[in-house]
Amino acid sequence: MPELLRLTPSHEQAAARCQARNAAHLSKKTKFRSPAEVTVCQPTRTANGTNGHSVPDVSEEMKSLIIEKDKMGLEEEPETVVKGWLLREVRGTWIKHRRFWFVLSQDSLDYYTGPEKGARRLGTLVLTSLCSVIWPDKQTFKETGYWSVTVYGRKHCYRLFTKHFNEAVHWACAVQKIIDTKAPVETPTQLLIQDIEENKFNPEVVEHIYQHNPILKYTQGPLYAPLLPFPYGSLEHTYHSGKGYGSVREEAVKLFNCLQQLESARDPVPIIQGVLQTCLDLRPLRDEVYCQLVKQTSYTPAPYTAAHLRYWQLLTCMSCTFLPGTTVLKYLRFHLKRIQSQSPESEMDNYASFISEALEKTKCRECVPSWEEIQMLMSRQEMLCTVHYPGPGSCQLYISSHTTANEVVRRMQEQLGLKESKNTFALYEQNALWEHLVTGGALIADVLTSFSSKESECSSPWKLCFKLYCLLDTDSISVDSPEYLLLFEKCHEMMVRGQLPACEEDLQALAALRLQSVMGDFSTHAPCPPLDELFPSDMLETRVLMSLSAPQALPPCQVAAQGCPEAQSRFPSGILSGALWSHTATAAHKQKVELDMRLRSRLKEEATAVMGSILERWKGLAGYNRRDSMAAYLAIARQWSGFGCTLYEVDFYISSSGSFSQKLWLGVAASSVSLYRQGEAEALESLPFGQIRSYGVSDSNTFKISAGDRDLLFETTKLTEIMQLMNAYFSATSHPRGKGGDVGITLTDSTELALRHLTSPNALLELPSETV
């Protein structure tokens, strides 16, 4: 053993503890120079497929960072586990496979020229806990005619072949069993992190550890192996192979090169986004990047330069995107406190303080931060977010990387004066065609980032909208309150979607009142909105389709052909039958085109007639102000007994009283769940919440409600939306909202927890038996 470093008396206590731990490491046949210093060693039998060559003197970081056990000398006879002839893939020669004698021992996989005692050993693959085995697969057998077993070592791998499947499986099992018996391999970085954790209250020992272990400090040279252990030939990257990733070990080394490029990059944002994307795709690399960043922000030659601060900016973005594992998190926190004590009132101190606060709030992100967010994080500022609400209004709010939808809802309620409202609100992602509810725990930064990818698929821009969600009390809303406008807009959305059962006369009256409330008195110069923003277009289409659905009279020649069996059987096959088929197909296509043209023409005529009637009604509303128009509109809408409920389309319905295969509406309201025929105002069935024992998802597209001794099954594509709304209503009604209550009850964590219980098939949410 090399001579131990001499420690000063102040180190004696720490040295005693370290010596005890080092004794355990030595029992595993790992090598150390001192309690505070780790030296990288090379095994006497290398794992690169060669043998008997000395390792040249190179810097520590160019060597393997994995501590491996000393291997027995070549003259010793290994304890054989399995041996036999196998074919090995040989590259660089015209012979693709060559036959060798393989011997598997408790420490290595060796191959020889033959089985005789004096045979020359051609190579060795040392087995550690980081080695991995790929089992034989049918695809390789189909391509080569051999069953393949691949064993990955530190630098190279052995790809072995045999004609017999059972033999291949036997070798794979034997090698994997040896790997599983190996103690977990620890890298020098891991061991030094343990040393620092054990001595964190002794600054002198910690300083000694840093000074004598350059692997912990900033370096300008490349990294040749990861700081943390990763399996050789890891297959975890295969799920993302379409993005061009190599193995996790390879990507770890590439990331360190990316980090170093930050110092000279003109624009660091693309590099930062690339590093974050890799960490998002390959989860094991997150701890590695944290360790690399701690390394590059320790003992930097020029710590106050803009180039060095790029590492802190990336560390800031990492801390707002991913959390490291427990061990690395402790190491990171220690590093931040150490930097703050060493460089108070500096930019590094400011970044360390920001990162420490972020680590308390960070949840794993679903999207890599956007360009704008990274720019804000680099300067430790918040982003500006625009939230729209029904009508032309919008609010500008400052958000951080940790702001949730529930927090934005609360702030919107404060700005609009809705804190005392008995109803609840939510955020929606919305564009001209689609609308999606944003769950309460969702990060707004993720939602905004997702808009860019969605807009690339659809030209219509996306925006965040603040809207009514649970209608618990519609009678006490003041006419002058912004909530009244939200109720009016929600009701009009339902009407335009065809979800407000009313006669056509009432629907035209509602459209006229909408025009009066939005545009004022009728004017020939005022631009009128399109009909589909005022009147349910489905009603027009249904009416026109019914008028065109009557069977059309067939031409005389087709009638004669249908009544003449001889004409059908005279030319059963051949050229004439093909010609007749082609003529029939052409006629059918022509008939379809004509039908489409007639449909568009009739739709245009109907739309013109309906729009004319609406404009005539609008003229008769002259003098109505906006508030009166809205009040008259809601007065007509309230005539429906289901006013305030949210309707979902149901494809199939089964209950004890029968089944219905036509499309129905499932209405979810504040106190009950009801079923309607589409377009009809009276409910087929209505179940008060007090009678519902349980509800949930019974399979991939079936929703089940149990009430009393009855079970109701619904087939629908809106399972998640129905579950969220019912959970929100139950939560709101079982926890009455008084003054100072939780304004975010709509989509609180308890609501999301209830959803998580229903992820498995046949899961139901059990409700209290008493009325809630």
Side-chain angles (χ1 to χ4, degrees):
M1 287 285 289
E3 182 182 357
L4 294 175
L5 291 175
R6 295 182 180 179
L7 302 180
T8 61
S10 62
H11 299 150
E12 291 180 357
Q13 186 177 2
R17 290 196 301 270
C18 291
Q19 286 175 356
R21 184 178 58 75
N22 288 339
H25 292 315
L26 289 172
S27 67
K28 298 178 185 178
K29 297 184 181 180
T30 54
K31 295 184 177 181
F32 283 85
R33 288 191 177 180
S34 75
E37 180 180 3
V38 174
T39 301
V40 179
C41 67
Q42 293 289 338
T44 58
R45 294 169 67 184
T46 61
N48 60 2
T50 60
N51 193 45
H53 299 287
S54 61
V55 179
D57 294 332
V58 294
S59 64
E60 289 188 356
E61 288 184 341
M62 290 183 65
K63 298 178 182 179
S64 168
L65 297 184
I66 303 301
I67 296 178
E68 295 176 327
K69 302 195 314 180
D70 287 335
K71 303 303 176 200
M72 67 188 76
L74 293 179
E75 69 280 355
E76 301 179 26
E77 183 67 24
E79 182 183 348
T80 302
V81 177
V82 181
K83 56 185 177 181
W85 290 103
L86 290 172
L87 295 174
R88 184 190 172 205
E89 185 177 66
V90 179
R91 297 181 180 180
T93 64
W94 64 275
I95 302 176
K96 188 173 183 180
H97 298 136
R98 292 186 63 182
R99 190 165 173 258
F100 298 101
W101 180 259
F102 279 84
V103 176
L104 175 64
S105 67
Q106 291 293 336
D107 291 313
S108 63
L109 178 62
D110 307 313
Y111 67 98
Y112 299 81
T113 56
E116 58 274 5
K117 188 173 182 180
R120 184 163 59 95
R121 182 169 56 197
L122 301 176
T124 296
L125 191 150
V126 178
L127 296 175
T128 69
S129 62
L130 298 183
C131 295
S132 58
V133 180
I134 298 181
W135 287 53
D137 62 279
K138 290 184 178 179
Q139 185 62 33
T140 304
F141 179 75
K142 290 179 180 178
E143 294 173 355
T144 64
Y146 293 95
W147 295 100
S148 171
V149 176
T150 305
V151 183
Y152 283 96
R154 181 172 65 86
K155 284 188 176 181
H156 297 281
C157 70
Y158 289 173
R159 195 173 185 195
L160 313 176
F161 299 88
T162 176
K163 285 282 188 181
H164 306 289
F165 175 73
N166 290 339
E167 186 179 10
V169 171
H170 181 65
W171 276 97
C173 289
V175 175
Q176 187 63 57
K177 187 175 180 180
I178 296 297
I179 294 173
D180 293 341
T181 61
K182 298 298 180 182
V185 173
E186 294 179 298
T187 64
T189 300
Q190 283 182 304
L191 297 175
L192 291 169
I193 289 175
Q194 294 174 22
D195 282 340
I196 292 172
E197 175 65 21
E198 292 171 4
N199 298 282
K200 61 183 178 182
F201 298 114
N202 193 330
E204 294 182 4
V205 174
V206 171
E207 185 66 23
H208 182 85
I209 293 173
Y210 274 98
Q211 291 297 336
H212 290 79
N213 292 280
I215 197 173
L216 294 175
K217 298 187 292 186
Y218 172 87
T219 180
Q220 290 183 336
L223 201 64
Y224 290 91
L227 300 178
L228 301 178
F230 295 109
Y232 307 129
S234 172
L235 300 180
E236 297 177 20
H237 68 279
T238 55
Y239 298 105
H240 304 279
S241 57
K243 298 183 179 181
Y245 291 125
S247 70
V248 179
R249 294 177 58 83
E250 294 170 346
E251 294 302 323
V253 175
K254 292 178 184 177
L255 283 175
F256 188 77
N257 182 46
C258 291
L259 266 57
Q260 292 179 314
Q261 293 177 21
L262 283 173
E263 296 185 37
S264 57
R266 178 176 298 179
D267 182 8
V269 175
I271 296 177
I272 292 175
Q273 277 190 318
V275 172
L276 295 176
Q277 185 65 56
T278 301
C279 291
L280 178 69
D281 294 338
L282 305 178
R283 187 183 184 91
L285 289 179
R286 298 172 190 176
D287 280 0
E288 173 72 20
V289 173
Y290 269 113
C291 289
Q292 291 180 4
L293 287 171
V294 171
K295 170 184 172 65
Q296 293 300 91
T297 51
S298 300
Y299 292 92
T300 310
Y304 301 103
T305 61
H308 170 66
L309 291 179
R310 295 278 178 84
Y311 291 113
W312 284 100
Q313 291 165 354
L314 175 54
L315 190 56
T316 299
C317 294
M318 285 285 294
S319 68
C320 292
T321 310
F322 314 108
L323 279 178
T326 305
T327 302
V328 177
L329 180 60
K330 291 180 180 179
Y331 177 48
L332 174 61
R333 291 189 187 280
F334 173 80
H335 173 68
L336 297 175
K337 291 179 181 179
R338 187 164 178 268
I339 293 296
Q340 287 181 286
S341 64
Q342 291 178 346
S343 307
E345 306 301 327
S346 66
E347 273 294 280
M348 293 186 296
D349 181 17
N350 295 333
Y351 277 112
S353 177
F354 185 91
I355 293 168
S356 297
E357 294 178 7
L359 292 173
E360 299 290 338
K361 306 173 185 176
T362 296
K363 301 177 181 178
C364 184
R365 296 283 294 273
E366 295 181 0
C367 302
V368 168
S370 63
W371 184 92
E372 178 189 6
E373 184 181 354
I374 290 176
Q375 287 282 355
M376 294 297 101
L377 288 174
M378 290 172 64
S379 56
R380 304 187 305 276
Q381 296 178 359
E382 293 187 327
M383 293 185 295
L384 196 60
C385 171
T386 302
V387 181
H388 301 264
Y389 55 88
S394 64
C395 288
Q396 299 261 319
L397 303 174
Y398 281 100
I399 63 168
S400 70
S401 300
H402 318 288
T403 304
T404 64
N406 271 340
E407 294 174 36
V408 172
V409 168
R410 295 187 185 100
R411 289 159 65 181
M412 287 293 296
Q413 287 182 260
E414 291 174 2
Q415 290 207 16
L416 297 178
L418 302 175
K419 290 184 66 176
E420 304 299 324
S421 172
K422 297 180 180 179
N423 299 308
T424 59
F425 305 85
L427 291 181
Y428 290 81
E429 302 173 73
Q430 191 180 76
N431 71 353
L433 303 174
W434 303 97
E435 179 178 276
H436 305 292
L437 176 70
V438 179
T439 57
L443 296 176
I444 297 300
D446 274 343
V447 176
L448 296 178
T449 302
S450 68
F451 284 171
S452 58
S453 60
K454 291 179 179 178
E455 288 174 359
S456 63
E457 301 171 0
C458 176
S459 58
S460 178
W462 287 81
K463 61 183 180 180
L464 270 180
C465 293
F466 172 81
K467 299 171 64 176
L468 270 170
Y469 187 59
C470 289
L471 288 171
L472 301 168
D473 181 11
T474 60
D475 297 326
S476 61
I477 301 176
S478 171
V479 178
D480 298 319
S481 167
E483 189 174 8
Y484 198 79
L485 173 61
L486 297 180
L487 177 63
F488 171 69
E489 294 289 344
K490 183 178 179 66
C491 185
H492 183 66
E493 281 184 5
M494 292 184 62
M495 189 273 279
V496 171
R497 293 172 182 170
Q499 295 182 339
L500 186 66
C503 63
E504 183 169 349
E505 186 176 349
D506 284 345
L507 293 175
Q508 292 182 10
L510 291 174
L513 288 167
R514 171 70 177 183
L515 287 171
Q516 184 69 19
S517 66
V518 173
M519 306 183 65
D521 291 345
F522 173 80
S523 171
T524 55
H525 302 290
C528 190
L531 182 63
D532 58 4
E533 295 182 10
L534 301 171
F535 191 85
S537 55
D538 290 345
M539 178 175 288
L540 288 180
E541 293 178 8
T542 302
R543 183 192 306 167
V544 171
L545 288 173
M546 289 180 64
S547 66
L548 295 176
S549 62
Q552 302 296 319
L554 293 174
C557 60
Q558 291 189 25
V559 174
Q562 287 184 356
C564 183
E566 293 182 4
Q568 298 175 8
S569 59
R570 187 176 302 170
F571 305 107
S573 60
I575 299 176
L576 284 180
S577 63
L580 290 173
W581 172 257
S582 176
H583 175 73
T584 304
T586 302
H589 175 70
K590 184 177 180 181
Q591 187 177 6
K592 183 178 183 302
V593 171
E594 292 176 354
L595 183 62
D596 289 342
M597 293 178 62
R598 290 179 57 199
L599 177 61
R600 285 195 294 269
S601 176
R602 288 292 302 276
L603 278 174
K604 188 175 181 180
E605 293 174 4
E606 287 290 334
T608 302
V610 171
M611 194 65 184
S613 300
I614 292 173
L615 293 179
E616 288 299 321
R617 291 176 180 273
W618 183 17
K619 294 175 184 178
L621 296 175
Y624 273 59
N625 59 30
R626 186 183 186 189
R627 185 174 67 176
D628 294 339
S629 300
M630 291 167 59
Y633 189 108
L634 291 174
I636 296 175
R638 289 178 191 273
Q639 295 176 6
W640 177 39
S641 58
F643 176 77
C645 77
T646 303
L647 296 177
Y648 299 96
E649 194 171 82
V650 175
D651 295 325
F652 189 71
Y653 163 65
I654 301 176
S655 74
S656 55
S657 60
S659 63
F660 303 87
S661 59
Q662 76 265 32
K663 291 185 180 297
L664 302 171
W665 279 334
L666 179 67
V668 182
S671 59
S672 63
V673 176
S674 305
L675 198 70
Y676 299 87
R677 284 194 176 93
Q678 292 191 6
E680 294 186 4
E682 295 299 322
L684 290 172
E685 293 196 56
S686 184
L687 298 174
F689 279 167
Q691 297 180 11
I692 296 178
R693 293 185 294 104
S694 63
Y695 63 91
V697 180
S698 63
D699 60 38
S700 59
N701 65 341
T702 304
F703 190 75
K704 180 178 180 180
I705 297 179
S706 296
D709 57 351
R710 301 172 56 199
D711 289 333
L712 287 75
L713 298 175
F714 308 93
E715 285 191 6
T716 176
T717 58
K718 302 291 184 180
L719 293 176
T720 302
E721 293 89 334
I722 295 172
M723 282 296 308
Q724 288 173 334
L725 185 57
M726 289 189 66
N727 286 338
Y729 270 124
F730 272 107
S731 178
T733 54
S734 59
H735 299 86
R737 300 176 57 185
K739 187 175 181 179
D742 183 3
V743 296
I745 196 70
T746 304
L747 293 170
T748 57
D749 291 339
S750 61
T751 302
E752 293 170 358
L753 181 62
L755 285 173
R756 287 196 289 272
H757 286 311
L758 298 166
T759 55
S760 60
N762 303 318
L764 294 177
L765 179 64
E766 294 296 334
L767 301 176
S769 56
E770 66 273 8
T771 303
V772 293

